[in-house]
Structures are given as structure tokens and as C-alpha cells.
Amino acid sequence: NAGVTQTPKFQVLKTGQSMTLQCAQDMNHEYMSWYRQDPGMGLRLIHYSVGAGITDQGEVPNGYNVSRSTTEDFPLRLLSAAPSQTSVYFCASSRYRKYGYTFGSGTRLTVV
Amino acid sequence: TQLLEQSPQFLSIQEGENLTVYCNSSSVFSSLQWYRQEPGEGPVLLVTVVTGGEVKKLKRLTFQFGDARKDSSLHITAAQPGDTGLYLCQVSGEKLTFGTGTRLTIIP
């Protein structure tokens, strides 16, 4: 049981480049979320999904897009990378949101 | 957006001591989760509490949900170096919210 798998683990981008962070879960969870974690700021919600075909914005959605074409996958797209997007990104999934999430191991992104 | 305050922000104690960390808000929640995060890893779910006044135990860790469901505490008995990590609380509302965490260091 792999749980939540995120790729890549590390990435360096130049300002203005685009990329997609991949997230896949094999637990048939309906709820999936993307967070960014910055020193002193805690975990902040970027986008979330309550099921295939349904997405919504979180606390800090600007500069990011998501889609949910299948239950398993929830990719996060950076449209035009900026240094302010340097962060550690976590994907998480849950069967019943009220009872907590399973997190991936994160992607450490540096934008130069 | 719900505001969750965790205290203390940092805590460093000797192995064998007891400690308590807190998660507080002015809002009422239907449930609250505690996670532990180690360096380079994602948060790992420790417990979910859903009933006001509920107490749950996980080995040396005791979690309590406030009677009014606005706050929670995590008590660790006889802390060990393996307890070192970032402890995060989370609540489920319209937008899922995390506290900023308590960074705990246990000194051998």
C-alpha cells in the first residue's frame, strides 16, 4: 500500500518556468488537498478537491492550478514560477475529511 | 478562515520530563486532529478527537478535546528523544486549517 506518492522530491526552477507537481493516492480517497509549508507560516491550503471533477480554492491559490480527472490523481500546476513560490509542497488525501489526512512526503521546490 | 493558535511555539526539555502543548481557537469545531512531522517528511496523523471533553491515549501521549470543542491539549509523559518533531493541530471546517505548530526537542 503506497499511500500518497508525490513526485518529484526536489526541483529547481527558473523564474517564469512552468511545471507540474504530481500527486497520486491508491486508497480510493475522495478528498485531496495541496498545501505549502513555509518557515513560520505553517501549512497553508492551496487548492482542494472533494471528488473527481470538483476542485476549489484554498487560502493561497494565486499562481497555481489544479484538476481532478480521476479519483487517484491530483496534479498541481505552477503557471509561471516566482521566487515567492519557493516552498515545500505537500499533497494529502482523506476518505472522511473530518477524521484527518494522509500526507505525501513532499516536494521541495526552489525558484531562482 | 479559522485561526488556530498553538503554544508554545518552541519547547526543549530533558528526556524523562512531562510536557503539555496547546491548540486554541475562538471557533467551535466538529473535529480536531493532531499530527507529528519529522524533518524531511510529511505530517503523520496521531489522533482525531470529535466529542467535547474527549480524552484519547496513544502510549505516552494523551490528547484532550475541550468541553466547548474550541481547544485541545497534547500531554506527553516521560518524553523520549523519539518524540522530537513538529506537532500540528488541524480542524475541519469550510477550509481545512492548520495551526503553526509546536517544535519539540527532547534532549537525551
Side-chain angles (χ1 to χ4, degrees):
Chain A
N1 191 343
V4 178
T5 302
Q6 290 186 241
T7 56
K9 292 191 70 68
F10 301 93
Q11 183 71 49
V12 179
L13 288 179
K14 293 183 178 179
T15 297
Q17 287 185 318
S18 63
M19 79 159 295
T20 299
L21 307 185
Q22 301 292 344
C23 175
Q25 53 92 7
D26 61 358
M27 298 172 284
N28 200 32
H29 286 172
E30 290 295 325
Y31 300 102
M32 296 187 75
S33 305
W34 276 102
Y35 293 87
R36 59 178 291 173
Q37 188 172 36
D38 303 291
M41 300 294 290
L43 282 156
R44 292 184 291 168
L45 182 64
I46 304 172
H47 286 284
Y48 65 99
S49 170
V50 299
I54 305 169
T55 63
D56 205 349
Q57 296 181 350
E59 182 183 357
V60 288
N62 292 339
Y64 308 94
N65 275 355
V66 292
S67 60
R68 185 95 180 271
S69 57
T70 67
T71 299
E72 295 77 20
D73 299 300
F74 191 42
L76 177 72
R77 298 182 185 85
L78 279 69
L79 308 174
S80 177
S84 61
Q85 293 179 304
T86 293
S87 187
V88 181
Y89 291 85
F90 289 100
C91 178
S93 73
S94 177
R95 183 179 303 278
Y96 304 108
R97 191 168 44 172
K98 180 176 179 177
Y99 295 105
Y101 275 71
T102 300
F103 279 80
S105 57
T107 295
R108 186 174 295 274
L109 176 68
T110 302
V111 182
V112 297
Chain B
T1 302
Q2 299 141 337
L3 184 62
L4 278 180
E5 295 184 359
Q6 289 191 244
S7 62
Q9 189 175 1
F10 299 96
L11 183 59
S12 182
I13 64 170
Q14 295 287 336
E15 181 177 359
E17 294 183 348
N18 302 331
L19 66 106
T20 303
V21 299
Y22 301 92
C23 176
N24 296 296
S25 176
S26 57
S27 300
V28 177
F29 304 114
S30 59
S31 70
L32 186 146
Q33 289 78 39
W34 284 95
Y35 296 80
R36 179 169 64 218
Q37 184 180 20
E38 299 184 16
E41 298 294 329
V44 175
L45 180 66
L46 296 174
V47 76
T48 295
V49 286
V50 297
T51 305
E54 181 177 5
V55 176
K56 282 191 173 180
K57 293 190 175 183
L58 184 65
K59 297 183 180 179
R60 295 175 293 99
L61 278 61
T62 301
F63 304 85
Q64 185 162 7
F65 204 13
D67 291 339
R69 291 185 289 126
K70 294 182 178 181
D71 55 81
S72 181
S73 64
L74 160 58
H75 181 79
I76 301 179
T77 303
Q80 298 179 1
D83 296 326
T84 293
L86 178 66
Y87 288 81
L88 296 160
C89 61
Q90 179 198 31
V91 294
S92 300
E94 181 179 339
K95 299 282 175 73
L96 300 166
T97 301
F98 276 90
T100 52
T102 292
R103 191 166 297 278
L104 175 64
T105 302
I106 308 302
I107 303 166

